Amino acid sequence: MKLLVLGLNHKTAPVDIRERLAFGPDIIAGALRDLTGCNSVCEGTILSTCNRTEIYAAVHDGAEEEMRRWLSGFHGLEHERVDPFLYAHADRDAVTHLLRVSSGLDSLVLGEPQILGQVKTAYQTAVDCGSNGKLLGRLFQHAFSVAKTVRTETAIGSSPVSVAFAAVNLARQIFSDLSQQTALLVGAGETIELAARHLHHNGVGRIIVANRTVERAHDLAAQFDGFAISLTEIANHLPDADIVIASTASPLPVLGKGTVERALKKRKHRPIFMVDIAVPRDIEPEVGELSDIYLYTIDDLQEVIDESLRSRQAAAEQAEEIIGFHSGEFMAWIRSLDAAGLIQDYRQRAEELRDEVLARAQRQVEAGKPPAEVINFLAHTLTNKLLHAPSSRLRQAARDGDAGILEAANELFQLEQTRTHSNP
């Protein structure tokens, strides 16, 4: 069995492609069942965030093409439209990729910590669906451990850089004094919570939290002296909002062009700064065409983020070294699985030969042969049977000039050391 990662991210695909291939929480369980129903896929986990959609799988040969077609087909897209944006990593490269993702080295924001929580959620979802097995289970646990090591042994997360931080930093550039502004936060997940914290820290005048579940919105708003509304109430409060940051898991936009146009009229065309962090998008792209609207998507934040990353570059290099070492460790464990199977088969064969020779020896004892003669027969016959196949293979290797097998046997049985001790 092999490891395979197939996916796309903010580096390989624009947001309009990423949102078409996103797996919402309401469909991911069915997707995992469908994925592991493929002939070549034995285990599977799907990681779907605003910046990436990735499939981690334990597979048989020939799985990559089947998985490529499955991904596009599941979302009802033509294979030719999706395929140019996909990347694939196998075996050690797959291990390294997951370790880099979990440690925040492959994120839009270098070293951002939110991705680890998203990876853990993806893993737990796969466990709950029964689509993970021994190989992926061990891989993800290894990734969590390595990500913790990277966090504790490097300064990768020392400065407050995140998508939420970038959004608030951009708002500060547009509105020099946030104390006079009202922020409408759409959603109540981790990214929105981070945005709320950054806004509150920068003295924003008022925070409104809109969410499908009002109780969750209230819990979040209460932490920052804000107030909560439902998604259906957004139109009533949008005219008060100077800053809008949206990040929900909705498969469809929650804020349309018409609603924003009506809000602008009530505001007498005072501008609104909007950031749509969600994938699929929460704000219709056409909103960005309106005058007095400054709409940024997650991809537009890259320049703001880049300004805050320079302090993390040295830490990232150190993190890459840690990941390289631990990738090798995991591949060594995989190779040990192959050895374990070989050892088990060899032991079983040896036990079968032992039982066969022992039965013959017992019959000789029952026939009255002297014990010493039977013991000699047992030792001689068992030795010959155990060594027959390896001896034949070594003779063939010598005839073929296969030095690799001869050297391996020498190391395995420590023959050279034995000869040295027996001939002082």
Side-chain angles (χ1 to χ4, degrees), residues 199-214:
L199 286 166
H200 185 71
H201 178 74
N202 283 279
V204 72
R206 188 168 61 140
I207 291 178
I208 304 170
V209 180
N211 194 50
R212 193 175 307 279
T213 305
V214 179

Side-chain angles (χ1 to χ4, degrees), residues 163-328:
V163 173
F165 174 81
V168 174
N169 197 39
L170 192 55
R172 288 178 57 205
Q173 294 176 29
I174 294 173
F175 305 102
S176 57
D177 182 10
L178 293 184
S179 66
Q180 303 302 312
Q181 313 305 321
T182 293
L184 171 61
L185 306 181
V186 185
E190 190 172 9
T191 299
I192 289 296
E193 182 174 349
L194 280 171
R197 291 188 184 282
H198 289 308
L199 286 166
H200 185 71
H201 178 74
N202 283 279
V204 72
R206 188 168 61 140
I207 291 178
I208 304 170
V209 180
N211 194 50
R212 193 175 307 279
T213 305
V214 179
E215 291 79 8
R216 171 64 183 134
H218 176 75
D219 291 342
L220 179 57
Q223 299 178 46
F224 308 103
D225 300 321
F227 69 94
I229 62 174
S230 68
L231 294 183
T232 57
E233 297 178 273
I234 286 179
N236 297 330
H237 294 272
L238 187 59
D240 299 325
D242 306 293
I243 301 166
V244 177
I245 301 177
S247 179
T248 77
S250 173
L252 298 172
V254 298
L255 197 54
K257 184 178 180 181
T259 301
V260 177
E261 283 180 316
R262 290 188 290 274
L264 285 173
K265 288 180 182 179
K266 292 182 179 180
R267 289 175 61 84
K268 300 186 183 334
H269 292 277
R270 285 184 292 116
I272 304 176
F273 167 67
M274 294 183 167
V275 179
D276 189 353
I277 300 175
V279 176
R281 284 173 282 193
D282 281 335
I283 303 174
E284 287 183 350
E286 292 78 12
V287 170
E289 300 170 3
L290 298 174
S291 299
D292 306 312
I293 292 294
Y294 299 91
L295 175 61
Y296 292 81
T297 68
I298 193 167
D299 291 348
D300 297 324
L301 299 179
Q302 183 65 59
E303 184 177 346
V304 179
I305 290 167
D306 286 344
E307 295 176 2
S308 305
L309 294 181
R310 293 180 181 86
S311 64
R312 296 193 174 191
Q313 293 302 327
E317 293 176 7
Q318 184 183 358
E320 295 284 9
E321 293 180 4
I322 294 172
I323 286 170
F325 171 78
H326 286 285
S327 295

Side-chain angles (χ1 to χ4, degrees), residues 368-386:
K369 281 195 174 183
E373 185 178 335
V374 174
I375 291 173
N376 185 62
F377 163 82
L378 177 63
H380 179 75
T381 305
L382 185 57
T383 300
N384 284 342
K385 284 186 173 291
L386 288 174

